[in-house]
Amino acid sequence: MCRDLATEVEKLLLQRSAYVRKKAVLTAVHMIRKVPELSDIFLPPCAQLLHEHHHGILLGTITLITELCERRPAALKHFRKMVPQLVHILQTLVTTGYSTEHSISGVSDPFLQVQILRLLRILGRNHEESSDTMNDLLAQVATNTDTSRNAGNAVLFETVLTIMDIRSAAGLRVLAVNILGRFLLNSDRNIRYVALTSLLRLVQSNHSAVQRHRPTVVECLREPDGSLSRRALELSLALVNSSNVQAMTQELQGFLESCPPDLQANCASGILLAAERFAPTKRWHIDTTLRVLMTAGTHVRDDAVANLTQLIGGAQELHAYSVRRLYSALAEDISQQPLVQVATWCIGEYGDLLLEGSCEETEPLQVKEEEVLALLERVLQSHMSLPATRGYALTALVKLSTRLRGDNNRIRQVVSIYRSCLDVELQQRAVEYNTLFRKYDHMRAAILEKIPLVERGGCQVDEEAKESKETAQLSEAAPVPTEPQASKLLDLLDLLDGPSGDAQHPPPLDPTPGGTLIHLLNLPCAPPPPAPIPNLKVFEREGLQLNLSFVRPPGTPTLLLITVTATNTSGGDVTHFICQAAVPKGFQLQLQAPSGDTVPAQGGLPMTQLLRILNPKKAPLRLKLRLTYNHFGQSVQEIFEVNNLPVETWQ
C-alpha cells in the first residue's frame, strides 16, 4: 500500500491547505519507516517545506528529514547543504520565536528546537564544514537557554549531545561539560542521573574538563537513590588518576563503609584496581588494600589475595610492618575470609618478625608465641572459615614450627587432629605435615623456608617477549580506556557464572604468582610449532562483520591470543564501536586497546583488538561478547555468546 500511494502523498505535501500538508508529512514519515527504499520520492519536497512557518508542518518536516538521513547516506549528503537554513531556523526560534502559543515556560517551541538539534547532530557527525557552520549557534543556545524549567533543560541537554557528537571546537566541548556539571546541582534526580551518565561517556575524550567537577561527583555518592549512587561510583572510579588517587581513594573508602550491599563489590574492586595502577608507594598500596579487605573482604575479586601476598613479598622493608598490621586486623575480625587468608599466610612467612618487635614504624606490639598459636587455632576452629582458609592456617602453623623458639608439641597436636578431617584437602595436608614431623624432621627447616619471591614477568621465551614488546608499543600509541570501559563491563560480567563481584575487572595476567610459574621450568628444547587454528566468524549484521583469529604462543600453552577484526561493507561508517568480552570464572582475561572506534564503510581499513586469555586448567572456553556502536544514525547493542570456539583454542 505504501508503494502504491507514495506518489499521491508526495503531491499532497505541496497542497494549499496547511492541515493537509501536515498530515501528508506525517504519512511520509511512517512510509519511510516501513519502506526505506521510498526515500528518493520525498527528497525534493523537503527543501520547499523547510520554508514553512507553521509549527506542525515544520516539526513534521524536520522529523521526515531525520528519518531520511538515518536510512540513506545519499540523503545525508543531500541535506548537509541545508545546514545553514536549519541554523537560521533555530536561531530565529532562540531569538524571536515563530509563535507564542507553542512556547513553554518561556522557552520558544522546545519540541521544535530539540528536533532541529537532533537533525544537526546527524548532519554534523564526522563532517568538518557542517560542524563549523553550527558551532556559533550551539554556543548561543547553550548560553542563552533558560534552565529554571524542565523545557529549558531538555533543549540544553540536546545541545550538549550535539556538541559532543559533532566536530566542535575545544572550547565548546568544555562548555558542554560545564553544563552537565551544573546539571549535577539540580534538585531533580532525573536530571542528575542524565548528567552522570553523559559525563561517564565523555570522561575519556574530555578528562580534564570532567575532572573539574570531581567534588560534585563525589557528593553524588551519598545520594539515597541507588541508581544515582551507582552512576556516581562508576564516574568517580573513572576520574581516579595518579595526581588525585589518595584523595579519591579516601572518599571511596568512606563510601565503601556505608554503601548498600549491592554496590560493595563494585566499589571494593574499583579501589583495588585504582590502587594497583596509581599507588604512590608500596606502603600506601598495602594500607589501602588492607582497609578494603577489612571493610568488604567478602566482595573483592578472586585475585586480591594473590596480588596482596605478591605485593607484601616484594616489599622486604615492609615485612615487619605488614605482619603486625595483619596480625592486629586478624585479632579483631576473622569473618572476612580474604583478609584471614592473607594474614595467616603473612604470619606463617614472617612470624619471627612479629615476635621480635623490630618494626620502628608502628607502636610497640608485644606478642607472645602462645597468642599467635591460639589465634591460628581459632581460625581453624571457626565455623566462618572456608576450607581454603583452614588450609592457609594449617600451613602457617607448620611454618611457625621453624620460626618460633618454643616447644612444637602444641603445633604437632593440632596437625594430628586434622588427619581425620572430613575435608580431603585438609586431611591430606595434615597427614603430609605429620609425616614431615615424624620421618623427615631433619629436613623440616629447609623445606619450610620462606617462599622466594616470584618476579612479575619473569623469564620469558622469545616469542612471548616479542609479543609483550609489541603490546607495550601499542599501549603507548593508544592508551587503554580503563574506567568507563570497566564500568560498562560490570553489567556484562553479570551474565556469566558467579556474581559480578568475582570478576568485575579483568585481572592482569602477569602479576599473579600462578601465571609466572609457567616459565619456571625453562625447558631446554622448544616444542614443535602448533598447527594453525582456523578463524571464526561470530557476528554479521547490515554489512558489519566480526571475525576471530587465534594464536597460542608455543612457550605458554595456557595463553590464548584472540584478535578481533571488525570489517564494514555497508555504505555508512560504524562509529563509537566498542567490543567488550567476558569469560567464565577460572579464566583470566585482558583486553588490549583497540586500533580505533570507527569501522569505515565500503570495506575500508578494519578495526582490530587483541584479547589475552589465560586458561590454567585448559577448560573448554566460552566467550561472551557485547558490541555497542552507531550505524546509519541508530545506536545498536548486541550481546551474544560464542560456544563454537575451535578445540585447539583450549586443549
Side-chain angles (χ1 to χ4, degrees):
M1 186 175 68
C2 289
R3 291 187 179 92
D4 291 342
L5 298 178
T7 54
E8 300 297 326
V9 173
E10 179 197 6
K11 296 176 183 177
L12 294 175
L13 287 173
L14 302 177
Q15 279 287 327
R16 290 185 178 182
S17 170
Y19 182 79
V20 173
R21 291 201 303 275
K22 183 181 77 169
K23 290 295 184 182
V25 170
L26 295 177
T27 305
V29 170
H30 288 287
M31 284 183 166
I32 295 299
R33 289 173 178 170
K34 291 181 180 295
V35 191
E37 53 266 29
L38 296 176
S39 301
D40 295 337
I41 298 177
F42 299 107
L43 284 177
C46 288
Q48 187 172 345
L49 290 171
L50 279 179
H51 295 284
E52 292 281 350
H53 287 269
H54 186 278
H55 163 82
I57 297 176
L58 194 54
L59 183 60
T61 302
I62 299 296
T63 305
L64 176 60
I65 295 174
T66 302
E67 295 290 337
L68 291 170
C69 292
E70 287 179 344
R71 284 162 173 77
R72 297 297 293 269
L76 187 64
K77 188 179 297 186
H78 173 77
F79 286 112
R80 274 178 176 155
K81 302 173 184 177
M82 300 182 183
V83 168
Q85 187 175 353
L86 292 169
V87 168
H88 176 72
I89 294 173
L90 184 56
Q91 193 164 21
T92 305
L93 278 173
V94 174
T95 54
T96 60
Y98 279 121
S99 55
T100 56
E101 64 267 22
H102 296 106
S103 297
I104 300 175
S105 302
V107 180
S108 176
D109 206 338
F111 291 99
L112 184 56
Q113 286 196 50
V114 165
Q115 204 64 29
I116 294 176
L117 287 167
R118 288 177 181 171
L119 178 56
L120 290 176
R121 180 160 72 247
I122 296 172
L123 296 174
R125 188 179 298 144
N126 299 323
H127 195 260
E128 193 74 37
E129 184 180 350
S130 299
S131 301
D132 290 340
T133 305
M134 61 184 79
N135 269 341
D136 292 340
L137 173 66
L138 293 174
Q140 182 180 357
V141 176
T143 52
N144 294 336
T145 302
D146 180 21
T147 58
S148 59
R149 299 297 178 89
N150 210 38
N153 289 326
V155 173
L156 207 54
F157 178 65
E158 206 66 42
T159 305
V160 169
L161 294 182
T162 303
I163 291 173
M164 304 314 298
D165 218 19
I166 68 172
R167 295 184 177 180
S168 54
L172 198 56
R173 299 177 76 87
V174 173
L175 175 61
V177 173
N178 292 339
I179 291 172
L180 294 176
R182 291 202 304 270
F183 279 177
L184 293 178
L185 302 174
N186 199 293
S187 58
D188 191 308
R189 292 181 179 179
N190 291 324
I191 294 177
R192 294 203 299 276
Y193 181 85
V194 165
L196 288 169
T197 305
S198 302
L199 287 171
L200 190 59
R201 290 173 50 197
L202 304 176
V203 70
Q204 282 302 313
S205 57
N206 300 83
H207 190 274
S208 58
V210 180
Q211 193 71 244
R212 298 191 188 100
H213 304 282
R214 180 163 52 89
T216 312
V217 174
V218 172
E219 285 295 323
C220 293
L221 286 172
R222 299 173 179 82
E223 288 284 347
D225 189 295
S227 300
L228 280 174
S229 56
R230 182 182 294 275
R231 277 287 179 263
L233 174 62
E234 294 173 2
L235 184 55
S236 298
L237 292 172
L239 291 175
V240 178
N241 56 27
S242 56
S243 61
N244 63 23
V245 62
Q246 297 188 44
M248 285 295 293
T249 302
Q250 188 174 0
E251 293 284 353
L252 291 169
Q253 285 176 336
F255 172 69
L256 180 61
E257 294 173 358
S258 59
C259 72
D262 58 327
L263 292 181
Q264 283 187 338
N266 297 356
C267 187
S269 294
I271 295 173
L272 293 181
L273 184 64
E276 187 176 336
R277 297 187 64 232
F278 303 114
T281 62
K282 288 185 177 180
R283 177 170 174 173
W284 182 89
H285 191 179
I286 292 172
D287 288 340
T288 301
T289 307
L290 286 182
R291 187 173 174 186
V292 171
L293 292 181
M294 293 165 63
T295 306
T298 56
H299 298 281
V300 298
R301 305 176 317 193
D302 285 345
D303 66 330
V305 174
N307 286 346
L308 184 54
T309 54
Q310 172 77 18
L311 176 63
I312 294 174
Q316 186 173 358
E317 69 282 2
L318 296 174
H319 285 172
Y321 172 76
S322 301
V323 72
R324 287 175 174 273
R325 281 292 311 274
L326 285 163
Y327 176 82
S328 301
L330 186 62
E332 292 179 6
D333 183 14
I334 62 171
S335 63
Q336 304 285 1
Q337 294 302 291
L339 175 66
V340 177
Q341 292 173 8
V342 175
T344 51
W345 176 89
C346 199
I347 291 172
E349 291 294 315
Y350 313 116
D352 51 338
L353 300 177
L354 178 63
L355 299 176
E356 287 176 4
S358 59
C359 182
E360 300 177 355
E361 301 181 24
T362 60
E363 297 181 2
L365 180 65
Q366 300 298 328
V367 181
K368 299 179 181 179
E369 293 183 8
E370 294 78 10
E371 294 173 349
V372 178
L373 297 179
L375 182 58
L376 292 177
E377 290 178 18
R378 182 180 161 206
V379 172
L380 281 169
Q381 297 166 5
S382 173
H383 68 280
M384 295 182 290
S385 296
L386 299 173
T389 307
R390 291 192 174 94
Y392 274 95
L394 192 63
T395 303
L397 273 173
V398 175
K399 287 202 168 191
L400 286 178
S401 68
T402 65
R403 288 152 174 75
L404 303 183
R405 303 191 186 107
D407 189 9
N408 291 327
N409 286 331
R410 183 174 180 178
I411 296 176
R412 297 181 65 171
Q413 290 174 2
V414 173
V415 171
S416 298
I417 292 173
Y418 283 90
R419 287 186 302 169
S420 57
C421 179
L422 294 178
D423 184 85
V424 177
E425 171 69 21
L426 205 56
Q427 181 189 112
Q428 181 176 348
R429 289 193 186 206
V431 170
E432 291 172 352
Y433 294 155
N434 188 64
T435 305
L436 189 62
F437 276 111
R438 288 190 300 105
K439 292 185 178 182
Y440 306 100
D441 196 59
H442 62 286
M443 301 172 57
R444 179 165 50 85
I447 293 175
L448 298 177
E449 285 184 353
K450 294 179 181 178
I451 296 178
L453 177 66
V454 180
E455 295 292 339
R456 297 194 178 211
C459 301
Q460 302 281 344
V461 294
D462 293 340
E463 292 82 4
E464 179 67 11
K466 181 179 178 182
E467 193 275 333
S468 300
K469 183 177 179 182
E470 293 173 353
T471 302
Q473 293 173 351
L474 178 61
S475 300
E476 291 175 1
V480 181
T482 53
E483 290 301 339
Q485 191 160 339
S487 61
K488 294 175 183 177
L489 278 176
L490 301 182
D491 300 328
L492 176 61
L493 293 174
D494 287 335
L495 301 175
L496 289 177
D497 300 335
S500 62
D502 291 334
Q504 287 183 355
H505 296 280
L509 298 183
D510 289 339
T512 58
T516 55
L517 287 176
I518 302 167
H519 311 295
L520 296 181
L521 296 177
N522 196 17
L523 298 178
C525 56
I533 305 174
N535 296 345
L536 182 65
K537 182 170 74 171
V538 295
F539 177 78
E540 186 171 12
R541 172 176 170 175
E542 295 180 350
L544 177 64
Q545 184 172 311
L546 209 67
N547 293 290
L548 304 183
S549 57
F550 311 94
V551 174
R552 294 181 68 180
T556 51
T558 59
L559 179 65
L560 175 66
L561 305 178
I562 301 179
T563 302
V564 181
T565 304
T567 56
N568 179 16
T569 57
S570 69
D573 291 347
V574 174
T575 59
H576 300 84
F577 184 87
I578 297 175
C579 176
Q580 298 169 325
V583 292
K585 193 173 182 180
F587 294 79
Q588 292 182 0
L589 169 67
Q590 186 181 31
L591 280 79
Q592 302 293 341
S595 60
D597 64 350
T598 300
V599 187
Q602 305 296 338
L605 188 66
M607 191 222 72
T608 60
Q609 185 172 8
L610 180 66
L611 311 182
R612 294 165 55 91
I613 299 178
L614 193 62
N615 183 5
K617 299 180 181 179
K618 293 190 177 181
L621 176 59
R622 292 186 297 120
L623 189 66
K624 181 151 288 191
L625 298 177
R626 180 169 79 174
L627 308 179
T628 55
Y629 58 89
N630 291 338
H631 199 194
F632 296 128
Q634 292 184 335
S635 181
V636 182
Q637 176 174 302
E638 291 283 349
I639 299 177
F640 55 92
E641 188 168 341
V642 183
N643 291 320
N644 58 337
L645 292 170
V647 178
E648 296 87 350
T649 60
W650 52 272
Q651 275 191 351

